[in-house]
Amino acid sequence: MTTDPGAPWLIVGLGNPGPDYAMNRHNVGFMVADLLAGRIGGKFKRAGKAQAQVIEGRIGPPGPANRRVILAKPMSYMNLSGGPVTALRDFYKVPTGNIVAVHDELDIDHGVLRLKLGGGDNGHNGLKSMTKAMGADYHRVRFGIGRPPGRMQVADFVLKDFSGAERKELDYFVDRAADAVECLVIEGLERAQSTYNS
């Protein structure tokens, strides 16, 4: 999909607001967004009526590869992410093909990344809400969290904090996911897939 090279990118970390959810597996999108915010050198601020926190900035080297980005964390809770994302898309005039959702993925092993454009929601309520609001033609950076152990319900698993063993490598995996987002925005999907799809 080709889009206007001068158009901004909207990078959306999916998660749930509030300290109770901060270290949940379901909040890894927020973790990646927070790391990217640190790299840009900004602080999240409330985005008017969009029910989201945002930072505007640029990533990439000086010159043609430099990209204007809006980092966003919807504050609507995961299941209602589509409303804030659509409001931001419209406000900043972002083509749908320049939207990146960073989210947890049950069907991929913990810490493994997969990048893609479009596709189904695989039961992920944040993606389901986004797709219902604006169609499926946006990019996804899928952060593997693995399947629940034993008979644990999916909802219980994703709303639990990462385990002690998982946390030992979590910073590394979050850093790698942030690198993948930057590569996607600056160099395109194919290059990002060949580098980060493991």
Side-chain angles (χ1 to χ4, degrees):
M1 174 182 290
T2 56
T3 56
D4 172 5
W9 285 76
L10 174 58
I11 301 164
V12 182
L14 293 180
N16 288 307
D20 291 348
Y21 298 100
M23 288 304 296
N24 287 182
R25 293 181 178 92
H26 222 17
N27 266 44
V28 75
F30 274 19
M31 296 173 198
V32 175
D34 286 338
L35 181 59
L36 286 166
R39 292 182 182 183
I40 287 174
K43 290 197 172 163
F44 280 102
K45 61 179 193 244
R46 201 76 182 195
K49 300 176 181 176
Q51 211 177 355
Q53 291 185 349
V54 299
I55 294 174
E56 296 180 61
R58 303 192 78 86
I59 61 174
N66 192 260
R67 300 282 185 261
R68 179 179 168 225
V69 297
I70 299 98
L71 279 178
K73 297 193 295 185
M75 294 286 113
S76 58
Y77 290 96
M78 182 71 83
N79 297 6
L80 301 172
S81 299
V85 175
T86 304
L88 292 171
R89 177 198 67 179
D90 294 346
F91 180 78
Y92 289 104
K93 298 178 172 55
V94 180
T96 304
N98 277 23
I99 296 173
V100 183
V102 185
H103 64 92
D104 56 305
E105 179 64 62
L106 285 161
D107 285 339
I108 303 173
D109 290 340
H110 172 68
V112 173
L113 293 177
R114 293 272 194 281
L115 288 80
K116 70 174 186 173
L117 173 64
D121 57 57
N122 205 22
H124 191 287
N125 288 326
L127 298 182
K128 195 176 293 183
S129 178
M130 284 180 61
T131 297
K132 184 177 179 184
M134 61 186 189
D137 292 331
Y138 54 90
H139 290 87
R140 299 100 189 279
V141 174
R142 305 156 71 206
F143 187 108
I145 60 169
R147 300 293 304 184
R151 297 185 178 185
M152 185 186 290
Q153 294 295 310
V154 165
D156 295 334
F157 180 69
V158 299
L159 293 175
K160 280 200 181 326
D161 288 357
F162 284 99
S163 70
E166 289 168 339
R167 278 203 293 271
K168 287 178 183 172
E169 294 186 304
L170 187 59
D171 287 349
Y172 168 77
F173 290 137
V174 169
D175 193 68
R176 193 163 182 273
D179 290 346
V181 171
E182 291 185 342
C183 183
L184 168 62
V185 170
I186 296 165
E187 300 187 64
L189 179 61
E190 283 188 27
R191 172 61 66 88
Q193 285 175 325
S194 67
T195 306
Y196 293 99
N197 278 15
S198 43

